[in-house]
Amino acid sequence: TNFPLEKVVGGDPQEIEKMIVEVDSNNDGKIDFDEFITMWMEKETKSLNDILESNGLETATLPKKY
């Protein structure tokens, strides 16, 4: 199902366009499910690594394909 990102996430249309360009790995102008999951996993891994690093622990890495 297609949802306009402006309505789903809110925010500035230019920022949303920037996000699409960064996440859209197949350059079709859309964020498909795999691209969304990749974006989400990268965000969660960064958050986890911030916590690990702040506690002096080794950081996590993601596999090439989730």
Side-chain angles (χ1 to χ4, degrees):
T1 307
N2 292 327
F3 296 100
L5 275 176
E6 302 88 41
K7 292 183 180 183
V8 175
V9 299
D12 178 22
Q14 290 177 334
E15 286 297 314
I16 293 170
E17 182 64 30
K18 181 181 171 186
M19 181 184 69
I20 292 171
V21 169
E22 290 173 2
V23 175
D24 182 21
S25 61
N26 64 2
N27 298 314
D28 66 355
K30 303 173 188 173
I31 299 175
D32 62 33
F33 182 74
D34 288 340
E35 293 165 337
F36 173 79
I37 294 299
T38 298
M39 175 186 66
W40 181 78
M41 291 291 293
E42 288 172 353
K43 179 179 179 281
E44 292 302 309
T45 300
K46 182 182 179 330
S47 296
L48 171 63
N49 282 337
D50 289 346
I51 293 167
L52 292 171
E53 286 178 351
S54 69
N55 288 289
L57 300 170
E58 187 174 334
T59 58
T61 57
L62 289 173
K64 296 261 184 215
K65 185 73 175 164
Y66 320 111

